[in-house]
Amino acid sequence: MAARKKVEKVDQVEKVVKEEADRLLEFLGIEGAVEVLQDKDNNLYTVQIETEQAAILIGHRGETLGALQTILRQIVFRKTQESAQVIVNIGDWRAKREDTLTTLANNASTRAKNTGQEQHLYDLSPSDRRFVHMLFSEDSEIVTESEGEGRDRHLVVKIASEQLAELPRVVAEGVVRCGRR
């Protein structure tokens, strides 16, 4: 009986996510198709929106998209009393953003490995920083840390202290400039 109630609750949450996402688009005057993909094991609902007006919904660096996601998550919680994780994706924006972040992070790690110097990545959202942290979580050569507060918070990519000892002394001291000693 308890399993049946849980299934009903999950189905109710999925229905509310879809209805409220549709309502938000309508309220914003944006035409688009909404599909909800559900990961029952993780209580995760991915809202996939396809629209010709994607740029309006995404905003600068995904800020509007993040706001829509927060609003939708709050509406779903208030209507269902279920703290489901709701992820909103518009077109293929998230995949493109992850590709961009992966390239940026890999370039920073290569520079850190080659120079022994910390590399700072600015203007990343909390979710972007988390993505980069997770990207290097299994890499024993690279360490990532978030530093600063508020809008000044940024990500630092650096080589692990064990790896720093292996760099040539002149590189570790920062004496190498433009490939010359």
Side-chain angles (χ1 to χ4, degrees):
M1 189 68 153
R4 183 175 175 187
K5 282 189 177 188
K6 183 170 174 86
V7 169
E8 289 174 2
K9 186 75 167 175
V10 167
D11 290 343
Q12 176 195 8
V13 172
E14 182 178 5
K15 181 181 177 192
V16 170
V17 169
K18 169 83 168 100
E19 289 172 354
E20 294 305 322
D22 283 332
R23 274 191 48 213
L24 275 173
L25 286 183
E26 183 181 337
F27 179 74
L28 295 169
I30 293 183
E31 292 183 24
V34 174
E35 180 183 4
V36 177
L37 307 170
Q38 181 183 15
D39 179 352
K40 292 180 182 180
D41 295 334
N42 297 313
N43 199 26
L44 172 70
Y45 299 85
T46 301
V47 178
Q48 182 64 42
I49 299 174
E50 299 296 334
T51 179
E52 294 293 321
Q53 300 164 301
I56 294 170
L57 290 176
I58 294 168
H60 180 68
R61 291 193 181 142
E63 290 176 0
T64 306
L65 174 62
L68 283 171
Q69 183 172 289
T70 301
I71 291 167
L72 185 57
R73 186 180 300 133
Q74 290 297 316
I75 292 170
V76 169
F77 177 75
R78 287 181 188 230
K79 289 201 170 211
T80 66
Q81 296 302 306
E82 190 76 24
S83 60
Q85 184 168 351
V86 178
I87 304 292
V88 176
N89 187 31
I90 299 170
D92 59 351
W93 186 84
R94 288 205 185 272
K96 286 181 179 178
R97 183 66 180 156
E98 287 178 1
D99 288 346
T100 300
L101 289 171
T102 300
T103 300
L104 181 69
N106 285 334
N107 289 343
S109 72
T110 299
R111 283 192 310 273
K113 288 176 184 177
N114 290 340
T115 66
Q117 296 177 345
E118 296 179 348
Q119 301 298 309
H120 297 259
L121 302 177
Y122 296 95
D123 296 326
L124 298 178
S125 69
S127 61
D128 289 347
R129 288 192 303 273
R130 183 178 190 282
F131 177 81
V132 175
H133 285 306
M134 297 302 293
L135 188 65
F136 290 116
S137 65
E138 301 294 321
D139 189 334
S140 62
E141 296 180 6
I142 293 292
V143 175
T144 60
E145 298 173 350
S146 291
E147 292 182 353
E149 297 294 325
R151 288 224 175 256
D152 294 329
R153 193 139 178 95
H154 62 279
L155 191 89
V156 179
V157 178
K158 58 187 177 180
I159 59 174
S161 56
E162 310 85 52
Q163 301 299 318
L164 187 58
E166 294 177 18
L167 285 175
R169 183 185 59 78
V170 289
V171 174
E173 293 174 359
V175 177
V176 174
R177 286 185 278 265
C178 300
R180 297 183 190 158
R181 291 183 185 182

